[in-house]
Amino acid sequence: MASIGNRAFYECKSLQSITIPAGVSSIGRSAFERCYSLTSLAIPENVTVLQDRMFADCGNLTSVSIPNGTTSIGNYTFSGCSSLLAVTIPSCVEVIGDGAFGNCSSLTSIELPENITSIAEELFSMCFSLTSVSIPTKVDFIEKKAFYLCIGLKSIVIPEGVTEIHNSTFYGCSELTSVVLPDSVLTIEDEAFLECNSLGSINMPKGLTSIGSKAFSGCISLESITIPDSTTSLGDHLFQRCSGLTSVVLPKGVTSIGEGMFSGCQSLKSVAIPESIVSIGKEAFCQCSSLEKFVVPKGVTSIGMKAFSECSSLKSLVLPEGIDQIPVSMLSDCGQLESIVIPENVASIGDCAFVRCSSLKSVTIPNGVTSIGIYVFTQCCALSSIKLPDGFKAVPAGLLFNCTSLASFEIPDSVIDVDSYAFFGCTTLASIVIPESVKGIGYGAFQGCSSLKTIKIPSGVDYIYSKLFKDCVELVSVDLPENVSVISDGAFWNCQKLASVKIPDRVAKIDSATFFNCCSLTSITIPESVTEICAHAFCLCSGLRS
């Protein structure tokens, strides 16, 4: 017998042992693939090439003897040999194919022959027990996922001559504490060291030009890093969730800080930002909870949404004059931020830009601002005053939602609409003048304004929306214009001090719970226009006499 053909014993699940005649010089692809019961095998000395998938998924194979004359090992030859403890590769082997030892989960160490010049794709992928591997000095190429999820690998030295660390090369090597990169490395690609939880430090080669997206994401033990000035490209989410990172020095030639670059870096206290930066991406510093101050470089013209969201220790942020917008949720949940200067060049402020900035006491909106989003200052509970620029047509929805320290607010004469929940929960607001220009007031606009005592609705308003004055417990009187034709449900719910109210002649229906628990209401005149009084309209109006 001189040869064994392709898939000759494929999936012979009960085959435990086999003796191959010495004269055999060729064994085909997948010859013993999925021989799950096979425990050991001696390959004849005349065989010089181990073909693709020859022993793939032989899950009980613990040892194999590779002939001294072997020159190449094919793709996925031993892939899935989960019981393989050790293997000796002869020195004459020059090529080892993709995934040759992938998922050999019991393999603890391996010595590669000196003639090897490249580490193939997925070569040791998911070798969970592999603790060490010596890469030959002739190797100048390491393919992607070469050591993917080698969770036992503790250290590795990359030889001089390697120019790229490819995608996911060391992805999930959670015990890797030390990596030595040679100066020949020019590129670190996407996810190269993603989730290397134990990696405390890494040297950056002097000639490095680019680092890909998520290259060091989840490296929770990484404390500091200096990126050389030769680097001109940094990927998105580069240091995301590096929770132990305290300081970073970025290179002088970089022009942007990418999306989520430092998101979740909870220990980050300082970042050396070069003046070359012109843009800061979405969520770039989101959840950097130790960051106390930040100066955005003068050349920056664009900042992404949530760029500084949840920076709970941030007390000072200096914005450059070049930006023309405050993006959505840019500073949301920055609970220590006391003040912010919005540059004069800014024309728009995005939704929820300052939501839950609970220490923010004052803010000046430049006259050039023409657009303000919804819920911009929601739960800024220390905010005592703010002024909208002249020319505004609306008070946006939820603008001052739960701003419990707001004592006064001037609505510009240009305003036509006060949108829903604009002043919801402004418990300190005692009075407010609504200009005659206003034609519409949205639902719940003054709900929970528990200090509000009197209010006059402009003559142009014809619709009192749902829960407009709900829980305004100090409201004594309200002047409804004759133009009003609809009073919606719960409009005056729990207005406990409301003593009197005149319902305009155009109103046809008193909606459900409109005056619920208005316990100080003693009398009310219902016009002849009213044809329906809904459920609970005057429920718990205990003082009502006529």
Side-chain angles (χ1 to χ4, degrees), residues 88-167:
T88 300
I89 302 174
S91 59
C92 53
V93 170
E94 297 178 352
V95 176
I96 302 176
D98 295 346
F101 296 96
N103 204 18
C104 291
S105 54
S106 298
L107 192 66
T108 58
S109 64
I110 194 165
E111 186 174 340
L112 296 173
E114 286 299 320
N115 289 328
I116 295 293
T117 59
S118 67
I119 305 295
E121 182 177 332
E122 297 181 334
L123 180 56
F124 299 105
S125 175
M126 293 189 287
C127 290
F128 303 134
S129 301
L130 189 67
T131 58
S132 65
V133 60
S134 178
I135 300 177
T137 56
K138 291 182 180 179
V139 167
D140 58 10
F141 198 82
I142 301 176
E143 267 284 13
K144 65 182 181 180
K145 293 188 175 182
F147 299 94
Y148 180 84
L149 288 178
C150 290
I151 59 177
L153 190 65
K154 298 185 182 301
S155 64
I156 198 155
V157 177
I158 309 295
E160 187 69 39
V162 172
T163 59
E164 295 177 282
I165 307 298
H166 282 276
N167 294 358

Side-chain angles (χ1 to χ4, degrees), residues 38-103:
L38 192 65
T39 58
S40 63
L41 187 72
I43 301 171
E45 289 296 323
N46 291 332
V47 174
T48 58
V49 175
L50 303 188
Q51 297 284 359
D52 296 349
R53 306 190 67 84
M54 187 183 292
F55 301 101
D57 295 320
C58 292
N60 282 305
L61 189 68
T62 58
S63 64
V64 64
S65 174
I66 299 176
N68 287 327
T70 301
T71 58
S72 72
I73 299 173
N75 297 331
Y76 305 99
T77 300
F78 296 98
S79 175
C81 293
S82 55
S83 298
L84 191 63
L85 299 172
V87 63
T88 300
I89 302 174
S91 59
C92 53
V93 170
E94 297 178 352
V95 176
I96 302 176
D98 295 346
F101 296 96
N103 204 18

Side-chain angles (χ1 to χ4, degrees), residues 257 273-278 280 294-301 318-323:
I257 295 175
I273 307 290
E275 290 298 319
S276 57
I277 296 292
V278 296
I280 296 175
F294 194 94
V295 177
V296 179
K298 294 179 181 179
V300 171
T301 58
V318 179
L319 297 173
E321 289 297 325
I323 64 170

Side-chain angles (χ1 to χ4, degrees), residues 187-191 210-216 233-236 238:
T187 302
I188 298 173
E189 292 190 349
D190 298 349
E191 301 181 354
S210 67
I211 306 176
S213 298
K214 298 184 180 180
F216 296 97
S233 176
L234 301 176
D236 294 339
L238 181 54

Side-chain angles (χ1 to χ4, degrees), residues 188 199-204 208 211 216 222-228 238-239 242 245-251 262 268 270-272:
I188 298 173
L199 189 64
S201 64
I202 187 168
N203 65 300
M204 292 285 104
L208 190 67
I211 306 176
F216 296 97
L222 196 64
E223 294 182 358
S224 65
I225 195 161
T226 300
I227 302 172
L238 181 54
F239 299 103
C242 291
L245 192 66
T246 59
S247 65
V248 175
V249 178
L250 295 178
F262 299 100
L268 189 65
S270 68
V271 184

